[in-house]
Amino acid sequence: MAAVAESLSFLGLTPSARDPATAVRRRNRGPRNRKKGWKRWAGPEARLGREIGDFLEDVTLQQRVAGGLIAEQPDAGLFFVDTGNAEKGRKRKNKIREKPLHIDLVLQPDSKVPPPKDILSYQIPNGKKERRRRQFWERLAQRGVLPRAERRLQTRLQNAAGRVDPGRSFYDIWADDNPLERALVGQDSWFLQQTQKQRVKRPPRLQQKPSQLPAVEVIAPGGSYNPTFEDHQALLLKAHEVEVMKKRAEDKVERQLRFPTAAEAPTAETVFREQCEGLLEESEGEEEEEEEQKEEAVGGAQPSDPPRPPLRPGKKTEQQRRKEKEARAQELRRRQEKAWRCRQQQLFRLRSLGRQLRRWEQELLRRRRAREAKRREMEGRPRRLGRIKYEDPALEVQLSDELAESLRTLKPEGSVLHDRFKSLQKRSLIEPRERAKFKRKYRLKYVEKRAFREVTL
């Protein structure tokens, strides 16, 4: 009777499922030269393991389908009583209306097992420490000891209880005529500043935005839905120019790093010529200098040219000093007369001087306007806030054969999150960033498992 009771405690969902405790042990009479005939495969432990695995699979299936073991389910959960044909009398129209959609059926969970609890969502940083601290203050609160912040709060509430007027009306604390600032009206600004009762003046630089660009930029007309032919071609031309610039940069790098061909490869002759570059010119110059030195030596050895003694300046006479003084005075008078004539001539150059001044003022005005235009252009560009330079995002463009004929078939392009992130970088609100690269602390160590090492082919 005990065996029958145990057998009734488990109901298998599939015909092959059975309770491993009540399974009948049958001797395996298969071939011994096969894997199933091995002792470790046909032994009692192996059979029990397979039966336990089948049992657990059937229990898992029952939990998914019925929400638990069928033997433990009540009769109301397994059977129902047919009390008539009330359902048959409904109209077919109502049946079609009540039938759920296929997409709703697909999205419904096919298992009655509740999802596992997400432990990470319940974890709190320093949870144990905070819990111990809370328990500590709860024990102190039972003895009447409160934290310092709580004591200060209660003291402030008690002191303010007598000053609160329950009959006062509501007022705007930011308005100019609020009751809090009536006592400060007419006071000296220096007194208000020293007593820290005057509002802090907001710096004007905080009123300015780091960039004059709008928060949401309107895309080109060619990127809209159902654009005109001219607008779409203009957008395609812009995207083509971007790709051409990228191709040129790639070709430049490839051209600089490419390996020279057989015709351009250096030979022994070119290497020797490069090593001897400049040596021949220096040797020719040295030969010319040697020839000149030889000629000077030969010319200086002639006995017909006696050596000339160096000239020594003697003492000046009174006549020579007087003539030099008169020459200096005459030169000074000549320079003064020339300066006077130049000043006289400048009177007749007033018109030319005016034209020159006007041209110089125009040039200064042109330079000032150029600086302002450059400054406005630089304000529209993103600032350099970090080591990474800002790069414009790729253009979102569709080819002519990819344009949608209706809004229903329109293919979305780009990402709103990526667009907002790039907009913040372009307006210099955050620095340009790149995805952090994973850096392994220790290098990987590859180990060959024993089971894999024992396999021989």
Side-chain angles (χ1 to χ4, degrees):
M1 295 298 292
V4 174
E6 291 179 357
S7 63
L8 294 177
S9 63
F10 176 77
L11 296 178
L13 190 64
T14 58
S16 61
R18 56 187 177 180
D19 192 353
T22 60
V24 180
R25 302 289 190 272
R26 292 190 304 175
R27 184 178 178 182
N28 188 7
R29 297 183 180 275
R32 294 302 181 91
N33 61 343
R34 303 294 182 185
K35 187 175 181 180
K36 292 184 178 181
W38 296 353
K39 184 177 181 181
R40 63 180 181 181
W41 183 263
E45 295 85 357
R47 286 196 302 269
L48 180 60
R50 290 196 295 271
E51 292 173 359
I52 292 176
D54 297 340
F55 169 74
L56 294 178
E57 289 182 1
D58 190 76
V59 170
T60 304
L61 181 61
Q62 292 184 25
Q63 290 178 352
R64 288 180 55 192
V65 176
L69 296 178
I70 296 179
E72 300 176 358
Q73 295 288 337
D75 296 342
L78 300 176
F79 307 99
F80 67 94
V81 180
D82 189 2
T83 58
N85 55 355
E87 298 291 336
K88 299 180 181 179
R90 292 186 176 182
K91 296 182 180 179
R92 185 175 180 84
K93 194 174 190 179
N94 295 337
K95 288 184 178 181
I96 297 175
R97 185 181 304 171
E98 293 177 358
K99 183 179 179 180
L101 298 177
H102 178 69
I103 184 64
D104 297 336
L105 297 177
V106 171
L107 296 177
Q108 289 181 357
D110 58 349
S111 176
K112 293 187 178 181
V113 179
K117 184 178 180 180
D118 189 4
I119 302 177
L120 297 179
S121 62
Y122 292 91
Q123 289 182 350
I124 303 174
N126 301 328
K128 292 184 178 179
K129 183 178 179 180
E130 296 294 336
R131 185 170 62 255
R132 289 196 300 267
R133 181 182 299 175
R134 187 169 55 255
Q135 293 174 359
F136 171 74
W137 284 111
E138 287 178 357
R139 291 194 299 269
L140 291 181
Q142 293 177 359
R143 292 184 293 177
V145 180
L146 297 178
R148 181 170 179 266
E150 187 69 20
R151 294 197 304 269
R152 292 183 62 184
L153 178 61
Q154 292 184 2
T155 303
R156 188 165 62 251
L157 294 177
Q158 292 175 1
N159 296 337
R163 299 196 305 265
V164 175
D165 184 11
R168 69 177 183 179
S169 59
F170 293 96
Y171 57 87
D172 186 6
I173 61 175
W174 304 109
D176 296 337
D177 55 346
N178 62 79
L180 298 178
E181 296 185 357
R182 290 176 183 173
L184 306 178
V185 176
Q187 297 289 344
D188 186 20
S189 60
W190 176 257
F191 170 77
L192 297 177
Q193 182 180 359
Q194 295 300 320
T195 55
Q196 298 182 357
K197 295 182 179 180
Q198 188 178 14
R199 293 182 180 179
V200 179
K201 185 178 180 182
R202 186 178 179 88
R205 59 181 179 83
L206 297 180
Q207 308 281 355
Q208 301 176 358
K209 296 182 179 179
S211 178
Q212 301 299 330
L213 295 175
V216 180
E217 298 184 15
V218 182
I219 63 173
S224 61
Y225 163 70
N226 194 15
T228 61
F229 177 77
E230 292 78 8
D231 295 341
H232 188 256
Q233 291 299 319
L235 183 62
L236 289 179
L237 178 60
K238 188 176 180 180
H240 173 71
E241 292 176 354
V242 173
E243 295 298 329
V244 168
M245 295 298 294
K246 291 182 181 179
K247 187 66 170 59
R248 287 180 180 176
E250 294 177 359
D251 293 345
K252 182 179 179 181
V253 175
E254 184 179 359
R255 185 170 58 254
Q256 293 176 349
L257 300 179
R258 70 175 181 177
F259 194 78
T261 60
E264 299 176 356
T267 59
E269 182 180 358
T270 57
V271 172
F272 178 73
R273 187 183 300 111
E274 183 178 355
Q275 292 177 354
C276 298
E277 193 72 28
L279 297 179
L280 299 178
E281 296 179 0
E282 294 178 1
S283 61
E284 292 178 358
E286 293 177 358
E287 292 177 358
E288 293 178 358
E289 291 179 359
E290 291 178 358
E291 292 178 357
E292 292 178 358
Q293 291 178 1
K294 289 180 181 179
E295 292 177 358
E296 291 178 357
V298 172
Q302 295 178 3
S304 59
D305 297 336
R308 297 178 180 180
L311 298 177
R312 295 181 180 179
K315 187 178 180 181
K316 295 182 180 181
T317 61
E318 292 291 339
Q319 185 179 6
Q320 290 177 351
R321 290 193 183 94
R322 180 173 51 79
K323 288 183 179 181
E324 290 179 358
K325 185 177 180 180
E326 292 178 356
R328 289 196 297 268
Q330 186 178 2
E331 180 67 20
L332 180 59
R333 287 194 301 270
R334 188 181 63 82
R335 290 181 180 179
Q336 292 177 354
E337 292 176 358
K338 185 178 179 181
W340 182 79
R341 287 196 302 269
C342 290
R343 286 195 296 269
Q344 291 291 334
Q345 291 294 334
Q346 287 180 358
L347 295 176
F348 304 100
R349 295 181 62 247
L350 291 178
R351 294 183 179 179
S352 60
L353 292 176
R355 289 192 298 268
Q356 185 176 358
L357 290 175
R358 285 192 295 271
R359 285 196 299 267
W360 179 245
E361 292 177 355
Q362 293 176 0
E363 179 66 17
L364 292 179
L365 181 61
R366 185 190 64 80
R367 293 181 182 179
R368 188 183 303 111
R369 291 177 179 175
R371 287 196 300 268
E372 292 178 357
K374 185 177 181 180
R375 181 177 53 80
R376 288 193 297 268
E377 183 181 359
M378 294 301 295
E379 289 178 356
R381 296 181 182 179
R383 301 178 184 176
R384 189 69 177 268
L385 301 179
R387 62 180 183 86
I388 304 175
K389 188 177 180 181
Y390 172 77
E391 295 182 1
D392 293 329
L395 288 176
E396 301 171 0
V397 59
Q398 293 182 348
L399 302 179
S400 300
D401 54 351
E402 297 177 352
L403 292 177
E405 298 180 357
S406 61
L407 284 174
R408 184 175 57 84
T409 59
L410 182 63
K411 181 181 177 181
E413 293 285 343
S415 171
V416 178
L417 182 61
H418 185 264
D419 179 71
R420 292 296 87 208
F421 186 64
K422 280 292 184 180
S423 176
L424 293 176
Q425 294 181 1
K426 190 173 183 180
R427 288 182 288 153
S428 303
L429 297 178
I430 60 175
E431 72 279 1
R433 308 171 184 177
E434 61 182 3
R435 190 177 182 86
K437 298 180 181 179
F438 172 73
K439 186 176 181 181
R440 194 179 299 278
K441 187 175 182 180
Y442 304 102
R443 66 181 184 87
L444 291 177
K445 183 179 180 182
Y446 295 94
V447 180
E448 187 178 0
K449 292 186 177 180
R450 184 184 303 173
F452 180 79
R453 188 167 56 248
E454 292 177 355
V455 174
T456 57
L457 300 177

